[in-house]
Amino acid sequence: MTVGALGKDLLGLEHLTGDQIRLILDSAEGFKEISERAIKKVPTLRGSTIVNLFFENSTRTRISFEFAEKRLSADTVNVSSSGSSVSKGETLVDTARNLEAMRIDMVVIRHGASGAAKFLAERIESNVINAGDGTHEHPTQGLLDMLTLRDHFKTLEGLKVCICGDVLHSRVARSNIWGLLKMGAQVGVCGPRSLLPNAIDEFGVTVFEHIEDAIQWADALNILRLQLERMTAGFIPSLREYNRVFGVSSERLSRAPNPLLILHPGPMNRGVEIDSDVADGPHSVILNQVTNGVAVRMAVLYLLSGGKPEHAEAAKGGGGR
Ligand code: CP
């Protein structure tokens, strides 16, 4: 399997096979080295035009996609809702069709509505990559989390990963659960019942009510941000209370049978879901996740690039520069 094996779009991990996920992770391994060069550029996507449509705030994902695109020599344009005609009421599809009229090849979209990426993909010819849609999926985050876990543990098969915190509002949680299960990992979730989806028992995960039990069970914790901006009702009594009951502290981690690898997709609420000494501690791979994000996005862009022979040729052996 190679270029074209993912189909036209990357909308989520729920409908990818284990082989497709493995292909992305293996391809990302090959792209890591490009970011370590003095001149971080290969001609793989020269001539391609990519539009980054970010209708929700982002630091990591937006900048990481932009670096990935530029390092593959694509031409990129960034569009946000505030500076575009979306703020005048133009629809998402009209915006995308107008961009297509300017002959683009790919759209990377972040949107507050679950399903927005699929909605767009069904209506435009360009490849669509979901950079996070509402509370649904964030596939490249799930992939970079898996790459970071695989870097450390060498395999995902049989690995015990617990996703902690605000699972209810988390697209990162869904992409991780679906992706990790397909790769043979065991997945736990831990958080207050008010922050777990009602249908959590149907996801094939182990539910932990107490963070202490999750710490005893897991090899790695992926700690989620409390998404206060999506909480319309009183999901937790207070941030202080949440930290007291579910916060990941070094004192709690010290009771684990073995040191746990610590992941967080960012942005972090330090002192709420994760204490600073854990976030910055020796077992944290939070910044490795960010580094891996660029390689994963380069791999996804390459694999979706339509299988143009010149792209495959250019990617071989670093593609020259
Ligand atoms: N992890 C993540 O999606 O971060 P941003 O919201 O900053 O892109």
Side-chain angles (χ1 to χ4, degrees):
M1 282 206 312
T2 180
V3 173
L6 302 182
K8 173 179 162 286
D9 311 297
L10 178 69
L11 305 179
L13 302 189
E14 184 180 8
H15 302 296
L16 290 192
T17 64
D19 281 345
Q20 287 173 315
I21 292 172
R22 198 168 296 106
L23 172 70
I24 300 170
L25 300 184
D26 291 347
S27 305
E29 284 298 340
F31 281 110
K32 279 181 181 176
E33 175 268 331
I34 294 166
S35 294
E36 304 306 323
R37 296 182 187 180
I39 298 171
K40 301 170 179 53
K41 219 170 182 74
V42 290
T44 310
L45 293 187
R46 193 160 57 201
S48 292
T49 305
I50 304 177
V51 177
N52 300 311
L53 277 183
F54 274 72
F55 292 161
E56 247 194 3
N57 293 342
S58 169
T59 298
R60 277 147 291 273
T61 313
R62 184 176 57 80
I63 294 170
S64 178
F65 264 112
E66 207 175 333
F67 276 138
E69 292 155 4
K70 288 186 191 312
R71 287 175 193 178
L72 293 174
S73 302
D75 296 316
T76 66
V77 177
N78 297 320
V79 180
S80 63
S81 42
S82 61
S84 71
S85 291
V86 172
S87 63
K88 301 179 199 165
E90 186 165 62
T91 66
L92 173 61
V93 170
D94 278 339
T95 301
R97 284 192 181 140
N98 276 273
L99 293 167
E100 277 203 313
M102 297 182 226
R103 303 290 177 254
I104 61 168
D105 298 292
M106 291 193 195
V107 175
V108 176
I109 178 169
R110 169 166 288 195
H111 201 284
S114 300
K118 182 167 188 284
F119 179 83
L120 190 64
E122 287 167 352
R123 285 162 180 80
I124 65 173
E125 305 263 309
S126 307
N127 307 104
V128 174
I129 302 175
N130 182 4
D133 61 328
T135 60
H136 174 229
E137 279 228 43
H138 191 348
T140 55
Q141 180 72 44
L143 290 161
L144 73 88
D145 290 347
M146 284 191 276
L147 185 64
T148 308
L149 287 164
R150 203 178 71 164
D151 283 351
H152 186 84
F153 293 103
K154 309 302 171 212
T155 179
L156 299 174
E157 186 80 42
L159 193 68
K160 291 179 182 166
V161 182
C162 190
I163 300 167
C164 304
D166 186 357
V167 178
L168 179 68
H169 298 105
S170 178
R171 51 198 178 208
V172 175
R174 281 164 188 73
S175 290
N176 265 274
I177 290 170
W178 284 318
L180 284 165
L181 289 176
K182 283 189 178 149
M183 298 305 286
Q186 297 178 58
V187 182
V189 296
C190 177
R193 267 282 162 185
S194 58
L195 291 179
L196 299 180
N198 285 336
I200 192 66
D201 296 327
E202 293 160 28
F203 278 76
V205 300
T206 305
V207 178
F208 293 96
E209 289 185 8
H210 301 287
I211 189 71
E212 292 82 2
D213 295 339
I215 287 171
Q216 286 300 313
W217 174 82
D219 299 309
L221 301 182
N222 198 344
I223 304 162
L224 302 173
R225 180 175 70 90
L226 275 189
Q227 298 197 34
L228 299 169
E229 75 279 14
R230 292 193 210 274
M231 293 189 194
T232 49
F235 287 90
I236 51 167
S238 71
L239 296 183
R240 203 160 145 228
E241 181 81 356
Y242 182 85
N243 178 256
R244 196 178 63 74
V245 179
F246 286 101
V248 178
S249 62
S250 51
E251 197 270 320
R252 282 196 162 122
L253 288 173
S254 69
R255 294 195 215 125
N258 295 301
L260 269 64
L261 200 71
I262 300 298
L263 296 91
H264 191 305
M268 289 184 276
N269 294 310
R270 287 173 181 263
V272 181
E273 69 266 3
I274 186 168
D275 286 0
S276 271
D277 56 350
V278 175
D280 304 327
H283 305 296
S284 167
V285 286
I286 294 169
L287 293 178
N288 304 52
Q289 290 172 264
V290 178
T291 305
N292 278 341
V294 178
V296 158
R297 288 167 180 130
M298 289 170 89
V300 168
L301 292 163
Y302 164 67
L303 291 167
L304 288 180
S305 65
K308 292 172 190 150
E310 66 270 23
H311 292 166
E313 204 50 49
K316 264 189 225 157
R321 36 173 200 253

